[in-house]
Amino acid sequence: MALVGNGAELEADEDIFEDALEAISMPPCADMATGNHHFASFHTKQASGQHRSSNVSRSTSANMDLKSGLEECAVALNLFLNNRFTDALELLQPWAKDSMYHALGYSTIVVLQAIMTFEQQDIQNGISAMKDALQTCQKYRKKCTVVESFSSFLSRGSLEQMTEEEMHAEICYAECLLQKAALTFVQDENMINFIKGGMKIRTSYQIYKECLSILHLIQKNKVEQQFFYEFDGGVKLGIGAFNLMLSLLPARIIRLLEFIGFSGNRELGLLQLREGASGRSMRSPLCCLTILAFHTYISLILGTGEVNLAEAESLLEPFLQQFPNGSLMLFYHARIELLKGNVEKAQEIFRKCISVQEEWKQFHHLCYWELMWIYVFQQNWMKAYYYSDLLCKESKWSKATYVFLKAAILSMLPEEDIVPTKENVVTLFRQVDSLKQRIAGKSIPTEKFAVRKSRRYSPSLPAPVKLVLPALEMMYIWNGFPVVCKRKDLSENLLLTVEKAEATLQNENFSDYSVDDECLVKLLKGCCLKNLQRPLQAELCFSHVIQSEKLLKFDHYLVPFTLFELAFLYKSQGEIDKAIKALETARNNYKDYSMESRLHFRIQAALHLWKKPSSD
């Protein structure tokens, strides 16, 4: 995609008309041919060292060519992965207006900081840095006239005249555009920003697709390029991440996205990222981190919970040796140990991850979140409270979720144990509604869930109606039960807690909430029994919830989620047809319940695996 005119004419605000133009017409600089091309003139041009003359004034960029830019950015990435975040920024900033890779690197770190802090000023700084980066990348992209822009639909011959520098500019521009779109979504809930963000994502996706076509042509024509491996790494990162993430979406959303030009292939995405991770480009660690995020996080929260730990370990190992004290590498090392069932070792590594750097406290918050859940798994409620309290005080990511979790964890303690904390559980639950926020105009599903559950403590009620096992319910929502399945001792202790709550409920007077509470306990009990390889008892628990469907008054999410658990129980017993039928029933027969989108993600992941088995 190329804008009309030279880089100096690029408007900083990129108004809606420009975004619409980007989406409607893909000029030759981005919508490069996917058909057959003659690469001879491009090859000759590269071999002779001839480059196009630029109309853009670059008084200082003569000293920062593509080679130097790549080398310095590789150094900056190493600094970043070694926790030297400020040093990385200081290395990149002086050339961020003149070098596309310096611009990309600098703005990426600023954007990452904005996303992690969620401070409005940091978000504005990120948007500003990304606008500057887009302008810098634009200087190096091939320029097209208005006639060329519209004639690209008929003739796409400009590929032969592209320099290596211009090709790298496309990749850098696509990466910047994608990151700016992400910040646009979190900036505010303005619908115009939402539309602009969506268009930027589409444009970025189209550029990556066309860069993949260029990559194939270079390989086919055996064109020699000095920095081909870096271009190759950029394409693999972009194509891999797009395909992987799009493949996770529920089927109905995928059908809509395919209509407007998107497609997602999980196997292709993982293949591209694996090749990128094993390459020698500076994007190799980023490809590795993307796969690690998929295996250790996304597969748990939005997937089935079945994780490829062997691949995660083998991918992480060389980078862990290269960056032994790098916060990101230590974090994923701890996640892998946790998913292997080595809970105590994971705790130790998360603490080390906190201790190795103080520059970016946001990395500490990620570790606080993990340590909080580990202590929930262990039912060490005071320790879990300690980390939930730290998150409430220090992190701005989701105050409503943090406060709800703090109240939920304290609810698991006897009243006398809560007194030393000087916390009031009812007051905490009543705060949740006022703390909820919106991203891209939408409420965050986990916050909506927390707000709904907190209504039982509303001052409008005659008296608060105590939640039953709220910390374990949130553990279920975050798919924590597959994490503890490798630890029989933890699963047994959780089952004892659930059975104790079950006995308490049976001795209480019947109320409007009784059936809902009973069904929640049965779902949690069934998950514990499933982890302990007691399928018949687990199925009885799940069946009880499904049979109580018409009696539920508030927690309607329980039935479709229980069907999902029942499907996995059938799958474990080899009854694949019954499993798929249960998933399809959960997907097709229920709507407008809490956490619906998250369940649809998980159903999509399960159907993808069960209907089309793969090596992944």
Side-chain angles (χ1 to χ4, degrees):
M1 187 219 60
L3 298 175
V4 176
N6 62 34
E9 296 171 3
L10 181 66
E11 292 294 333
D13 289 336
E14 294 180 273
D15 60 23
I16 298 173
F17 174 77
E18 175 192 85
D19 278 330
L21 183 62
E22 289 173 358
I24 294 168
S25 71
M26 295 299 296
C29 297
D31 198 11
M32 294 155 195
T34 56
N36 295 324
H37 287 276
H38 299 288
F39 224 78
S41 61
F42 174 72
H43 182 32
T44 304
K45 189 173 186 181
Q46 289 295 316
S48 64
Q50 295 174 2
H51 295 273
R52 65 171 177 86
S53 60
S54 174
N55 295 325
V56 180
S57 173
R58 300 184 201 157
S59 59
T60 57
S61 62
N63 297 321
M64 186 57 70
D65 57 10
L66 183 59
K67 178 177 184 293
S68 301
L70 285 166
E71 288 173 349
E72 279 211 357
C73 285
V75 172
L77 180 60
N78 279 357
L79 289 171
F80 183 86
L81 294 176
N82 274 308
N83 308 325
R84 295 171 60 183
F85 311 117
T86 301
D87 289 344
L89 283 170
E90 289 177 351
L91 177 63
L92 294 166
Q93 188 173 24
W95 291 94
K97 297 289 181 71
D98 299 292
S99 161
M100 68 179 95
Y101 274 102
H102 283 73
L104 172 63
Y106 176 77
S107 58
T108 297
I109 296 175
V110 176
V111 166
L112 180 61
Q113 188 172 29
I115 290 174
M116 292 184 72
T117 65
F118 234 57
E119 294 276 2
Q120 194 58 39
Q121 185 57 53
D122 287 337
I123 291 172
Q124 290 300 326
N125 291 342
I127 289 172
S128 177
M130 199 50 71
K131 284 180 179 177
D132 290 342
L134 284 166
Q135 286 182 311
T136 301
C137 293
Q138 180 68 18
K139 295 177 186 179
Y140 295 90
R141 302 174 74 207
K142 187 167 181 64
K143 303 305 176 285
C144 305
T145 67
V146 175
V147 175
E148 286 175 328
S149 298
F150 289 99
S151 67
S152 64
F153 291 103
L154 303 175
S155 174
R156 299 173 174 179
S158 64
L159 179 58
E160 291 87 341
Q161 283 76 46
M162 286 192 74
T163 66
E164 185 172 13
E165 185 179 69
E166 288 168 342
M167 289 163 54
H168 280 264
E170 293 300 319
I171 283 290
C172 291
Y173 191 89
E175 287 187 37
C176 289
L177 206 60
L178 191 58
Q179 293 179 47
K180 188 167 186 289
L183 275 188
T184 300
F185 286 134
V186 301
Q187 183 181 12
D188 58 44
E189 55 190 77
N190 187 305
M191 182 55 71
I192 292 175
N193 276 338
F194 182 76
I195 294 169
K196 288 178 71 173
M199 287 183 171
K200 285 178 176 66
I201 290 174
R202 184 181 184 277
T203 303
S204 175
Y205 179 72
Q206 292 291 343
I207 294 174
Y208 275 122
K209 283 175 66 178
E210 303 309 340
C211 284
L212 181 62
S213 299
I214 297 174
L215 186 67
H216 291 159
L217 287 167
I218 293 172
Q219 293 169 329
K220 179 182 177 181
N221 292 277
K222 299 180 181 178
V223 178
E224 292 184 10
Q225 287 192 341
Q226 188 177 3
F227 306 110
F228 170 76
Y229 64 94
E230 289 291 358
F231 181 74
D232 179 60
V235 173
K236 283 180 165 51
L237 175 61
I239 292 292
F242 257 115
N243 273 277
L244 186 59
M245 297 308 147
L246 289 171
S247 74
L248 296 169
L249 296 172
R252 57 190 172 86
I253 298 177
I254 289 176
R255 286 194 293 270
L256 175 63
L257 290 175
E258 285 175 343
F259 180 75
I260 58 174
F262 286 97
S263 62
N265 183 312
R266 184 171 307 177
E267 286 70 34
L268 173 62
L270 286 169
L271 176 63
Q272 292 283 308
L273 290 167
R274 285 165 184 152
E275 290 178 355
S278 62
R280 62 189 183 98
S281 83
M282 68 175 178
R283 291 179 174 91
S284 293
L286 305 181
C287 291
C288 172
L289 291 170
T290 303
I291 299 176
L292 288 172
F294 174 74
H295 284 322
T296 66
Y297 258 108
I298 297 168
S299 292
L300 263 296
I301 297 171
L302 300 180
T304 62
E306 298 167 308
V307 180
N308 190 338
L309 288 177
E311 178 174 41
E313 279 192 290
S314 64
L315 277 172
L316 181 62
E317 183 58 32
F319 294 105
L320 198 56
Q321 290 179 7
Q322 187 178 359
F323 308 103
N325 290 315
S327 293
L328 277 170
M329 303 308 170
L330 285 171
F331 181 80
Y332 281 114
H333 184 199
R335 279 291 297 179
I336 289 169
E337 292 300 330
L338 175 61
L339 296 176
K340 287 166 63 179
N342 300 329
V343 175
E344 293 76 18
K345 187 174 181 181
Q347 285 174 311
E348 180 185 334
I349 300 170
F350 279 128
R351 292 194 190 99
K352 181 180 178 182
C353 187
I354 293 170
S355 68
V356 292
Q357 64 88 27
E358 290 290 333
E359 199 170 318
W360 272 23
K361 296 284 287 185
Q362 295 76 34
F363 279 131
H364 295 186
H365 300 159
L366 295 175
C367 297
Y368 295 164
W369 175 264
E370 293 299 325
L371 287 166
M372 176 194 71
W373 283 117
I374 287 174
Y375 285 118
V376 169
F377 300 157
Q378 295 174 326
Q379 298 188 75
N380 186 334
W381 303 117
M382 287 306 295
K383 282 284 191 179
Y385 159 72
Y386 171 77
Y387 285 106
S388 68
D389 189 46
L390 280 178
L391 287 167
C392 288
K393 291 173 179 175
E394 297 183 15
S395 177
K396 294 196 174 183
W397 246 95
S398 178
K399 289 285 188 183
T401 301
Y402 297 149
V403 170
F404 180 85
L405 278 167
K406 180 162 76 166
I409 289 165
L410 288 170
S411 298
M412 304 297 292
L413 289 165
E415 290 291 335
E416 59 270 21
D417 290 349
I418 300 174
V419 174
T421 68
K422 299 180 180 179
E423 301 275 11
N424 185 307
V425 172
V426 173
T427 300
L428 289 172
F429 277 124
R430 287 176 177 175
Q431 290 174 2
V432 173
D433 184 54
S434 64
L435 296 171
K436 67 180 184 294
Q437 57 189 338
R438 299 171 75 86
I439 294 178
K442 292 286 187 178
S443 299
I444 301 171
T446 50
E447 290 193 350
K448 287 171 68 176
F449 182 83
V451 167
R452 285 173 182 167
K453 299 298 293 188
S454 297
R455 287 174 185 159
R456 287 172 60 157
Y457 294 83
S458 171
S460 63
L461 295 176
V465 182
K466 189 174 181 181
L467 288 167
V468 177
L469 302 175
L472 298 191
E473 184 176 19
M474 284 299 274
M475 174 182 158
Y476 175 78
I477 291 297
W478 284 97
N479 218 11
F481 281 90
V483 178
V484 299
C485 70
K486 290 187 172 70
R487 286 289 294 266
K488 185 179 179 182
D489 57 333
L490 296 181
S491 295
E492 287 177 340
N493 289 335
L494 287 168
L495 178 59
L496 289 174
T497 299
V498 173
E499 288 180 333
K500 183 178 178 182
E502 184 180 36
T504 301
L505 279 177
Q506 290 173 353
N507 295 324
E508 289 183 351
N509 293 328
F510 189 83
S511 73
D512 287 345
Y513 296 93
S514 293
V515 175
D516 296 68
D517 289 344
E518 182 186 11
C519 286
L520 169 62
V521 168
K522 290 292 186 185
L523 172 59
L524 298 176
K525 184 177 180 180
C527 290
C528 293
L529 291 167
K530 181 159 68 79
N531 279 355
L532 292 168
Q533 306 299 314
R534 292 156 66 177
L536 294 178
Q537 291 173 281
E539 186 173 355
L540 286 174
C541 291
F542 296 148
S543 297
H544 178 91
V545 178
I546 295 166
Q547 290 164 8
S548 304
E549 176 183 348
K550 293 183 179 179
L551 301 176
L552 291 170
K553 294 186 177 181
F554 306 99
D555 295 330
H556 300 288
Y557 84 94
L558 289 170
V559 175
F561 272 84
T562 299
L563 282 165
F564 179 79
E565 299 299 334
L566 189 60
F568 272 79
L569 196 65
Y570 290 147
K571 169 70 165 48
S572 68
Q573 296 174 300
E575 298 181 277
I576 189 68
D577 291 337
K578 287 179 69 175
I580 290 174
K581 184 178 179 181
L583 288 180
E584 291 176 339
T585 300
R587 181 185 64 187
N588 300 330
N589 293 8
Y590 301 89
K591 63 180 181 178
D592 300 327
Y593 54 88
S594 296
M595 307 303 295
E596 180 178 357
S597 60
R598 183 168 294 191
L599 182 60
H600 278 233
F601 273 102
R602 292 178 183 173
I603 290 171
Q604 170 69 14
L607 290 174
H608 176 87
L609 288 172
W610 299 352
K611 285 187 172 182
K612 183 182 173 185
S614 72
S615 59
D616 297 309

